[in-house]
Amino acid sequence: YNLYQNYPNPFNPKTIISYEIPVHSKVTLKVYDISGKVINTLVNENQSAGMYEADFDGSNLASGVYYYKITAGNFNQTKRMILLK
């Protein structure tokens, strides 16, 4: 399992989040604000092993730090991204 740093970062207003899963898994990928509130659920489905990309559009959000978290099987990882307008 691997969750990659979003690109570009900082971003305005769109970025791409890439991840890799080695086996068929139930995958969720969510974006959170600094207080831990879910802003958007980008992925919530069963996926086969492979590389994936999810697009995130922050045009309706304020500048600041946001977090994205993947859960796949027993794997969890969170990374930080910066929206700079």
Side-chain angles (χ1 to χ4, degrees):
Y1 295 94
N2 209 342
L3 177 63
Y4 298 99
Q5 187 63 50
N6 65 301
Y7 181 82
N9 189 35
F11 67 99
N12 178 24
K14 296 182 180 182
T15 190
I16 298 170
I17 299 169
S18 301
Y19 60 95
E20 184 175 8
I21 55 173
V23 295
H24 184 85
S25 303
K26 167 74 171 166
V27 177
T28 59
L29 179 62
K30 296 182 179 183
V31 177
Y32 299 84
D33 65 13
I34 195 104
S35 68
K37 178 183 170 204
V38 176
I39 298 298
N40 199 337
T41 300
L42 302 176
V43 178
N44 185 17
E45 63 188 24
N46 289 309
Q47 293 183 325
S48 301
M51 283 283 300
Y52 294 90
E53 289 184 345
D55 296 324
F56 177 66
D57 185 347
S59 25
N60 61 339
L61 300 173
S63 293
V65 175
Y66 294 88
Y67 296 92
Y68 55 101
K69 178 182 179 183
I70 190 169
T71 303
N74 293 327
F75 176 77
N76 290 296
Q77 189 171 10
T78 304
K79 291 201 180 266
R80 177 179 109 132
M81 59 184 172
I82 299 170
L83 173 58
L84 194 58
K85 291 188 175 181

